[in-house]
Amino acid sequence: MQPQILSKITYFLPETVLIITLIVCILADVILKKKSLVVSGLAIAGLLVSGYFVYLQYGMEASLFKRMIVIDPYASFFKFLFILSTIFVLLFAVSSKEFRDAEHKNEHTYLFLSLALGAFLMASSVNMLMMYLSLELVSLTSYVLAGYTKKEKRSSEAAMKYIIYGAASSGIMIYAMSLLYGYTGTMNIYETARILTATGTVSSPMIIIVLIMITAGFGYKISSVPFHFWTPDVYEGSPIPVTAFLAVTSSAAGFSVMIRFFATTFLKSSAFVAGSWQIIDGIKWTEIIIVLSVASMIIGNFVAVWQTSMKRLLAYSSIAQSGYIMLGLVVANQAGLTAMFIYLVAYLFMNLGAFYATMMIANRLNSDNIEDMKGLGYRSPFVSISMVVFMFALSGIPSTAGFIGKFYIFSALIEKQMLWLAFIGLANSVVSLFFYVKVVKYMFLMKPDEGYDSKVQYGYGGYVMLMLFAVPTIFFGLYFVPLVKFAEASASFFGLR
Amino acid sequence: MEIGLHHYLIVSAILFGLGLFALISRRNAILILMGIELILNAANINLVAFSHFGGLGVDGQLITIFVIILAVAEAAIALAIVLNLYNHFSTVNVDEANTMKD
């Protein structure tokens, strides 16, 4: 037993590197005190090393620690995504005014790292206990991060709301998992699939209840309606880098575990060999996802129209975006999975970019109110033009990465003859255009108020960061073949070809 | 009367229901957190009962230990957050500590 574990320990190198980096960062913080750039640099270096090890094991398949976690292209794809977004958010944090004013100078660095570690484990776990533990690792870290600026009233309120919703939904999820454990006698999702397949048509009403309750746990992580109530308040109250991290990394981690759970547990075990997704008779999980997805798109987009705060607008926009991504899961085949991957990459760049531009503006104007951005197009053209790129990308205008993501999701739906769902998605994109363009309208079509029309200057670092997000957003919109190839190669589960 | 699996499941279902009820009806942050603990303990009872009566060895008990540890970690963080909330709002009522609204 032990040699088996030891021989495969090399597969665990990316996570090990992250843990070592985390410890080194804590020590460096204690020794150096107040030199926040060194600690952030160490963290980014550790992430890059970890990313190199992920690159080395890309395409491999293995199961570790008595089938607790697996290594497969699917997990590797998400690990790349997490590394990229964590590096970006660490760079974010360097220029964040809220973090500079906070009591603790460097603590966010290792909190981000531990969140990334939890996300790594979420993407690769195939055991329900492991899924629950890694989900909680991500959640516990994000509760602390949401309340990071302790002196801010809003931040403490955000943390309180987050922990109540988070703990409740993950508690409901573990209760449902305990029922499923009683039904099948195992926590491993492959074993669960085998046992459920053997029963033939599953008609137990308990399974439906279990399904809904487990969806509550995942649904809160990806902030889908009706588990979204925490999203606007937490996004508004937390410091902007934390908000960006929650919107991108934490929700991508939620997707990684949710897709794997549904695409393994409730598929016929013969499908693992055949490579096609055959759902076990009687378990209609796609219908639950359809309801969540449509509700998320409609509520997210329509409520966003009334928002006056940029952070709240982005919160509702990310609720709607998670609705679009879930459409890819509804399709339940390889094309849908590939489309979700493409969308997630596009989402990373455009959403982080939107948050970065918001942070730059909020740092200078001391407000994230959309009305205060009046005439900003004349006062700081570069930031405003980048913001326009991100807004257009989020609404899915052609020649941006957001369009490619939506295009692949909708074409996967149409291929599966789900025209009406594709239509709802398209109609929602049109509605979303309304509030994304509202931001553009305030920036470019309105004159700044008297006395507030001076130029706003930013450091060069900020411009470089904006380019880091804006260039890929447009680049992947025009030249998306490598991205699609990468997504297609990654859309493969352990034992599923 | 022999105590069987069903008795444990009924107790855990009642605990789960009470926990959910506490979540919905209580406005005091501490009491809401207690409701969450009830839900987690309901899951624990389920796991141990299934493991014992289903002849699954000690799997369920092991999982329960993990869940208990997590509940403790969560309670520690939650209480720190409640304390911080109290410092700002001088109340632990979640309805009163509500400045952000649509």
Side-chain angles (χ1 to χ4, degrees), chain A residues 19-30:
Chain A
I19 297 168
I20 293 170
T21 318
L22 210 153
I23 297 169
V24 169
C25 282
I26 294 178
L27 290 178
D29 184 26
V30 173

Side-chain angles (χ1 to χ4, degrees), chain A residues 247-381:
Chain A
V248 176
T249 316
S250 159
S251 105
F255 273 110
S256 74
V257 67
M258 181 182 187
I259 297 168
R260 192 194 285 278
F261 180 80
F262 283 113
T264 308
T265 318
F266 302 119
L267 290 197
K268 284 181 184 164
S269 50
S270 62
F272 300 150
V273 189
S276 60
W277 294 31
Q278 293 156 7
I279 297 164
I280 295 171
D281 303 313
I283 303 181
K284 296 184 174 117
W285 57 266
T286 44
E287 287 174 14
I288 298 176
I289 307 286
I290 288 178
V291 173
L292 291 190
S293 162
V294 171
S296 304
M297 284 189 294
I298 292 177
I299 293 184
N301 280 327
F302 277 88
V303 182
V305 170
W306 315 114
Q307 299 307 314
T308 51
S309 149
M310 194 64 203
K311 271 162 117 183
R312 276 189 104 83
L313 186 140
L314 285 173
Y316 282 105
S317 127
S318 73
I319 293 173
Q321 301 284 344
S322 75
Y324 294 126
I325 300 174
M326 266 189 285
L327 284 179
L329 188 55
V330 168
V331 184
N333 59 23
Q334 292 299 108
L337 188 59
T338 313
M340 273 189 281
F341 280 0
I342 297 168
Y343 204 106
L344 280 167
V345 174
Y347 182 61
L348 181 139
F349 287 108
M350 59 199 187
N351 216 22
L352 280 183
F355 275 112
Y356 194 77
T358 310
M359 187 179 80
M360 284 178 86
I361 294 166
N363 276 355
R364 287 303 151 106
L365 302 184
N366 286 323
S367 147
D368 57 10
N369 214 315
I370 297 171
E371 278 181 27
D372 292 337
M373 296 182 185
K374 235 187 231 175
L376 212 63
Y378 307 97
R379 300 173 63 193
S380 49

Side-chain angles (χ1 to χ4, degrees), chain A residues 57 70 100 150 217 288 368 397:
Chain A
Q57 61 178 220
V70 294
R100 224 177 296 138
K150 261 167 68 180
I288 298 176
D368 57 10
I397 294 220

Side-chain angles (χ1 to χ4, degrees), chain A residues 129 132-133 136-137 139-141 143-144 147 149-161 163-164 166-168 170-172 174-175 177-187 213 232-234 236-237 303 307 312 316, chain B residues 9 12-14 16 20 23 29-30 32-33 36 39-40 42-44 46-48 50-51 56-64 66-67 70-71 73-75 77-79 81-82 84-86 88-89 94 97-102:
Chain A
L129 173 65
Y132 174 67
L133 290 180
E136 285 288 277
L137 175 55
S139 301
L140 292 181
T141 321
Y143 303 147
V144 179
T149 41
K150 261 167 68 180
K151 284 178 184 156
E152 278 277 331
K153 212 172 177 180
R154 290 197 307 177
S155 189
S156 70
E157 189 191 325
M160 189 71 235
K161 283 180 174 163
I163 198 165
I164 287 174
S170 64
I172 291 170
I174 189 69
Y175 184 78
M177 282 175 171
S178 78
L179 289 177
L180 198 58
Y181 173 73
Y183 194 82
T184 60
T186 176
M187 281 301 233
M213 280 159 72
D233 289 345
V234 171
E236 192 187 344
V303 182
Q307 299 307 314
R312 276 189 104 83
Y316 282 105
Chain B
L9 292 189
S12 93
I14 292 172
F16 181 76
L20 220 51
L23 270 181
I30 307 278
I32 293 175
L33 292 171
I36 292 163
I39 291 178
L40 290 175
N44 287 341
N46 261 353
L47 287 166
V48 176
F50 282 133
S51 182
L56 300 167
V58 289
D59 273 15
Q61 280 91 326
L62 283 177
I63 297 165
T64 305
F66 279 103
V67 177
L70 250 166
E74 207 162 53
I77 290 178
L79 288 178
I81 288 173
V82 172
N84 195 26
L85 186 87
Y86 184 77
H88 282 295
F89 291 91
V94 286
N98 190 7
T99 53
M100 293 180 282
K101 272 190 194 128
D102 288 304

